[in-house]
Amino acid sequence: MTELLDSLRAIGAVGGPEESLDEAVAWHFGDPFGEQRAAATSAVMIDRSHRGVIALTGPERLSWLNTISSQLVTDLSDGRSAENLSLDGNGRVEDHFLLTDLDGTTWIDTEGFRAEALAAFLTKMVFWAQVEVAARPDMAVLTLIGPETRTGAIAQLLKIPRTATVYDAGVLPDGGFWRVMPALGEHAAVETIDLIVPIDQLTTWWSSLTAVGVRPSGTWTYEALRVSALRPRLGADTDERTIPHEVNWIGSPSEFGAVHLNKGCYRGQETVARVHNLGKPPRQMLLLHLDGSADTRPVTGDPVIAGGRTVGRIGTVVEHYEYGPIALALIKRGVPADTALETGGTSAAIDPASVPADDRVQAGRAAIERLRGK
C-alpha cells in the first residue's frame, strides 16, 4: 500500500482489488462511473505511484539502451519519450516500459512488479558502456486524464506548452517532469499526461491539482479507458507466450509503438522480423463485450471457450461507464468476429471494430512469390 493511499482513504478512496496489479493504490473514490465520465469531459487525477522508476545516466545511455531493447532510441532528443520492450531470445515480451530523456538522464518507469527485475537486467547488461543504472523509489507517477488537463488554472500550474505533442516532456517547477501520453478512450481530446515527481511531493501535488478543479479518481477509470482504447498492460494482457505483434506494440514512437522495425541488434529481433515479413502472430488482442446480466465475471487468465474448445485467454476485465463489462483477450487468429464465446461462467462477444485489418502485403511473402514467378 502506498503512503498516498493511506491519506486518500480520509476522502473516500477505496483500495484496489486484493492481489491485483492495482492493490496498492486507489481504485475509486465512491463513484467510479462518475469518475470515468469526468475523465471524458473534464479532468481527473489518478495515483499510479505503484509504478517503478529507474534512472539511467552517462554519455552512452541511449546508444547502449538501443542495443538491448526493441525501440530505436539513439536519436531520441532531449525532452522526448518513447515506449520500449525487452524481449527474450524467442521474441516473447518480458518487459514493457516508458522512457523519457531529459537533462542528461533517461527516466524509465514500468509496472511495479517488474521494476526490480528490469533494473537488475539493465545493470547486468552494462558491461563496458558508460552508463549507470539506479532504481529510484524516491520518484512516483501521477496521471491526469481529460480534455481540460491543459486549460485554465491547470495549465498555469503545470506550465505545459500548448504546442506539446504526444511523448513530449519537460521539467516541473519544483522537480520532476511532465510527459504527454497517447490519449486514452476513444476520443483524441481525452488527453493523458503523466507527472513523475519526487515521492515526498505526492501529497502536495494532489492537493494543488484538486484545488484547481482536478477531480480525484482511481485506477478503475484508467483501466476502463485503457481497455476501451485497446491498449495492453504488461502482466494483465500479456502472458509468458506473448509476442509484440499480438498486442499492437509494433511501431515507432510516431506510431505509438514499442518495436521499431527498421533497427536491429536486440534480443528477440529474429522472431519480430520473421513474423512481420513471413508469418502471422498466432493470437490477436480483441475487445470483448461481456454479458452484463450474468452473476459472475471472468478474471485475468481465464480461458475463452468457443464450441467447447479453448480459443483464447482473458486479460483485463473492467466495468465501463458506457459499455458495461468489457475485457481484453488474446484470441486465436482466424476466429470469426461473430463467434459465440464463453469465459468465466458468462457469455462474451467480440467487438468487430477491434479486429485488426489483415490485408498487408508482407515483404518476405512477396519476395517468395516473385521467385516463384507469381
Side-chain angles (χ1 to χ4, degrees):
M1 183 183 302
T2 66
E3 293 181 10
L4 183 57
L5 176 57
D6 274 341
S7 63
L8 293 180
R9 287 189 187 279
I11 58 171
V14 176
E18 291 186 7
E19 299 184 5
S20 74
L21 293 176
D22 296 322
E23 181 178 9
V25 291
W27 183 233
H28 63 84
F29 285 79
D31 183 16
F33 293 155
E35 293 164 30
Q36 291 179 35
R37 291 189 188 94
T41 58
S42 55
V44 303
M45 174 172 46
I46 299 167
D47 174 20
R48 299 176 69 219
S49 56
H50 56 331
R51 286 182 66 79
V53 180
I54 301 167
L56 307 179
T57 54
E60 296 179 336
R61 63 190 183 280
L62 289 176
S63 58
W64 164 80
L65 186 61
N66 196 70
T67 65
I68 59 172
S69 60
S70 62
Q71 189 58 273
L72 180 63
V73 296
T74 49
D75 57 353
L76 193 69
S77 58
D78 185 71
R80 287 289 291 168
S81 307
E83 299 185 39
N84 208 338
L85 301 178
S86 175
L87 307 177
D88 70 12
N90 293 312
R92 295 172 179 142
V93 177
E94 289 190 341
D95 288 290
H96 171 264
F97 54 96
L98 298 165
L99 62 103
T100 299
D101 199 66
L102 193 63
D103 291 344
T105 298
T106 300
W107 295 95
I108 287 174
D109 60 287
T110 189
E111 294 290 344
F113 78 96
R114 285 295 302 175
E116 184 177 349
L118 178 58
F121 169 72
L122 294 173
T123 300
K124 182 177 67 175
M125 297 302 293
V126 170
F127 299 114
W128 58 83
Q130 296 182 61
V131 182
E132 293 186 8
V133 180
R136 292 296 300 270
D138 59 321
M139 302 295 288
V141 181
L142 294 176
T143 295
L144 305 181
I145 303 176
E148 297 181 1
T149 53
R150 281 202 269 170
T151 62
I154 303 172
Q156 293 177 17
L157 179 64
L158 298 177
K159 302 188 186 308
I160 301 176
R162 287 300 307 173
T163 54
T165 60
V166 172
Y167 296 135
D168 277 348
V171 296
L172 287 167
D174 297 315
F177 62 94
W178 54 263
R179 174 179 63 208
V180 180
M181 292 297 294
L184 289 175
E186 302 164 287
H187 309 291
V190 184
E191 291 192 296
T192 304
I193 296 173
D194 289 337
L195 307 180
I196 292 78
V197 301
I199 201 164
D200 59 7
Q201 293 183 20
L202 271 178
T203 303
T204 300
W205 273 110
W206 193 274
S207 299
S208 298
L209 286 162
T210 53
V212 295
V214 181
R215 178 172 176 170
S217 185
T219 49
W220 186 336
T221 291
Y222 189 93
E223 293 297 276
L225 298 183
R226 178 183 66 79
V227 169
S228 68
L230 272 81
R231 293 187 64 83
R233 183 177 184 182
L234 184 76
D237 306 306
T238 65
D239 59 15
E240 69 282 354
R241 298 186 293 123
T242 302
I243 60 175
H245 313 70
E246 295 178 323
V247 289
N248 305 331
W249 271 334
I250 300 296
S252 65
S254 64
E255 299 167 305
F256 302 166
V259 180
H260 201 295
L261 292 171
N262 294 327
K263 67 158 296 215
C265 204
Y266 63 92
R267 188 174 60 173
Q269 177 202 358
E270 291 184 7
T271 297
V272 170
R274 183 168 61 250
V275 173
H276 181 74
N277 291 307
L278 293 171
K280 301 288 185 183
R283 302 175 297 178
Q284 52 191 0
M285 186 180 65
L286 302 177
L287 178 66
L288 302 187
H289 294 273
L290 307 176
D291 180 5
S293 65
D295 293 330
T296 61
R297 295 280 186 269
V299 297
T300 299
D302 275 354
V304 179
I305 309 297
R309 67 188 183 95
T310 298
V311 297
R313 171 199 180 273
I314 284 288
T316 305
V317 181
V318 68
E319 302 272 348
H320 190 279
Y321 76 108
E322 287 187 328
Y323 304 135
I326 56 176
L328 292 177
L330 287 171
I331 303 295
K332 287 183 179 179
R333 179 169 294 279
V335 173
D338 59 357
T339 301
L341 303 175
E342 294 182 3
T343 180
T346 188
S347 59
I350 297 171
D351 188 324
S354 70
V355 180
D358 198 18
D359 54 2
R360 178 179 61 87
V361 178
Q362 295 170 288
R365 289 292 177 192
I368 292 172
E369 294 304 313
R370 287 195 298 270
L371 288 173
R372 291 174 175 172
K374 296 182 180 181

